[in-house]
Amino acid sequence: MAAVARDRGGPKVDALYGLMQSYENKLGGGEGIEGLYGSITQASMQKVLDCLKHNSGLDARSVFVDIGAGLGRPLLHAMVSMGVSSAWGVELDRVKCDKAAAFCENVLHHLITQEVLASTVEVPSVICSPVEKVTSLDPSTHAYSFWEGVPPSGKQAFGELFAASRTLRAVAVVQRAIRGQEPAAMMRELGFGPVLLIANFPVKMSGSGRSFTAYVFTKIAPAAANFLANATGGAVAASAIASPLATQPRQGVKTPVGKQRVLPSSTAAASVGDDGADNKAPAPQLVSPSKARKPEAEPDPASPTKKPCAGAASAGAQGDKAAVQARLTVPAGRAKAVQQALTSLPAFSRRTKQGATAAGKAPGGKGAPKEAAPQDDVAEGEKAPTAARRSSKRLAAKAQAGAAAFPSAFAVEGC
């Protein structure tokens, strides 16, 4: 309940709207002859005033003006809720103006009697005139208009008065939602000058409940408008005029690949020669770090030499000694394998076997074979020794011939 009361403006505003509703019924409503009559709900109007307060300084020192004031309900709301010292409005319809004079006087009298307002406050005045004939809106500081029924000429005149005013700081307008156009651009087209859209939010019409949209704008001072107008064009110039320290990379900071930086020339500063002529320095060039060429005299950096650890060095030395020892002493099994591989060749297998036999070695690389046992000593059913089976006259003759042709090179163990 407290949040709802705060959104509606508080107990004083609730009392105000009770009195306004009572006197409006006595006057027969707020209708007139010209234009449209309408006012937004209490919560919607409070939201508009809060936005003006928080964004443009609406307070007790402000002067509030309503274009299309009707009976003056927004004027009284601003006086009670925000405590503005003065409020006035402009209304086109004569019937509404007469009703507004009686309406504001009676409501304000009861508010003073109930001590809602001080006795020194002035009754809001509503000027009966088309806005096109109003010469100035000063000394107003904040403006408001429910201008859905205001013709384009009236909006244009309002905009010119707003732009020409020296005291107006903000304006809030209520209308249907703006479609297909930027609100601030629309206000500039209507002659309001450079304005900034602060907020826009939905509001409801009192009685019918129809939905509208409130747009709150603040005026931009001429100096600030010139600054913002030149901000876009001046950004490029400001970035181009950089400090020399900003163009040089700091020591130890890497320039990102793909970025360009200005490389200052060796004659970056202008100098004056002996003849008095001004020697201008050449303009700096944009060089990509990835494509920058090295000076020819500068050698390429050498890769640091890798230092092996002590364990690896000792292991390498032991490995070298083991390799040398392995080469000097060939195992007997490996010598036998080499001997068998050489003797198994088709073209030389018989010669190799004959040469080895003649040299006193067995074909398998072992020592001289034992003497063959006599045939008489071989038992029945047993096989005769290998040397005895192979010893024939033909093989013996070829063995003698091979011994003369091939020296006993294979007799050396380990080859």
Side-chain angles (χ1 to χ4, degrees):
M1 294 297 294
V4 174
R6 184 171 58 254
D7 293 340
R8 293 168 58 89
K12 292 183 178 181
V13 179
D14 290 340
L16 168 65
Y17 270 79
L19 288 172
M20 289 193 300
Q21 187 63 40
S22 175
Y23 275 96
E24 187 175 342
N25 294 335
K26 292 179 181 180
L27 292 173
E31 291 80 5
I33 299 174
E34 299 182 26
L36 299 175
Y37 174 74
S39 60
I40 59 178
T41 61
Q42 175 183 345
S44 298
M45 191 65 205
Q46 184 64 39
K47 195 172 183 180
V48 172
L49 295 175
D50 287 339
C51 186
L52 290 172
K53 175 183 178 180
H54 296 130
N55 295 283
S56 59
L58 179 65
D59 55 16
R61 298 168 296 178
S62 304
V63 179
F64 192 77
V65 62
D66 183 3
I67 305 300
L71 296 181
R73 294 167 66 99
L75 302 176
L76 294 170
H77 192 149
M79 293 179 69
V80 174
S81 177
M82 300 297 163
V84 297
S85 59
S86 178
W88 63 288
V90 178
E91 176 55 52
L92 174 65
D93 192 345
R94 170 58 64 181
V95 175
K96 294 178 184 178
C97 291
D98 293 341
K99 288 183 177 182
F103 179 79
C104 292
E105 184 177 358
N106 285 277
V107 171
L108 191 61
H109 174 71
H110 279 81
L111 290 175
I112 295 174
T113 303
Q114 297 175 6
E115 296 182 354
V116 175
L117 293 178
S119 59
T120 57
V121 297
E122 298 180 358
V123 178
S125 60
V126 178
I127 299 174
C128 186
S129 170
V131 68
E132 292 87 346
K133 295 183 179 181
V134 177
T135 57
S136 176
L137 295 179
D138 292 346
S140 303
T141 58
H142 297 78
Y144 167 80
S145 178
F146 183 90
W147 69 359
E148 183 61 31
V150 177
S153 59
K155 296 179 180 179
Q156 189 75 30
F158 182 21
E160 294 175 359
L161 291 172
F162 181 85
S165 174
R166 296 183 177 181
T167 58
L168 279 171
R169 291 179 283 179
V171 58
V173 298
V174 176
Q175 66 169 56
R176 291 187 178 91
I178 301 174
R179 305 293 184 185
Q181 190 177 11
E182 204 275 323
M186 183 199 72
M187 298 295 283
R188 288 193 296 269
E189 291 178 359
L190 292 175
F192 282 82
V195 293
L196 180 65
L197 177 64
I198 295 298
N200 62 292
F201 43 86
V203 295
K204 289 185 178 181
M205 194 171 182
S206 179
S208 64
R210 292 179 59 189
S211 296
F212 290 90
T213 303
Y215 296 90
V216 181
F217 303 90
T218 57
K219 180 185 288 188
I220 301 177
N226 294 334
F227 174 78
L228 294 175
N230 298 330
T232 305
V236 179
S239 61
I241 305 174
S243 173
L245 296 178
T247 59
Q248 299 179 7
R250 292 179 298 172
Q251 196 74 5
V253 179
K254 296 182 180 180
T255 303
V257 178
K259 301 286 184 180
Q260 290 186 349
R261 59 185 178 91
V262 179
L263 298 179
S265 175
S266 58
T267 58
S271 59
V272 180
D274 297 337
D275 55 354
D278 187 6
N279 301 323
K280 295 183 178 180
Q285 299 179 354
L286 291 176
V287 181
S288 175
S290 59
K291 297 182 180 180
R293 299 181 60 184
K294 299 180 182 178
E296 295 182 358
E298 182 181 353
D300 293 335
S303 301
T305 305
K306 296 182 179 179
K307 297 181 179 180
C309 58
S314 60
Q318 294 177 1
D320 295 341
K321 293 180 180 180
V324 173
Q325 186 69 20
R327 287 194 298 268
L328 293 177
T329 59
V330 181
R334 184 178 178 185
K336 180 179 179 181
V338 173
Q339 184 80 4
Q340 291 178 355
L342 291 176
T343 56
S344 62
L345 295 177
F348 304 97
S349 60
R350 186 173 296 176
R351 296 181 182 179
T352 305
K353 292 177 181 179
Q354 293 175 358
T357 303
K361 295 289 183 179
K366 295 183 180 180
K370 299 180 181 180
E371 293 182 4
Q375 291 289 339
D376 298 337
D377 298 337
V378 178
E380 185 179 358
E382 294 182 0
K383 295 183 179 180
T386 305
R389 289 197 305 268
R390 294 180 179 178
S391 59
S392 61
K393 294 182 179 181
R394 181 173 58 85
L395 291 179
K398 288 187 177 183
Q400 293 178 359
F406 295 91
S408 59
F410 295 99
V412 181
E413 184 178 359
C415 296

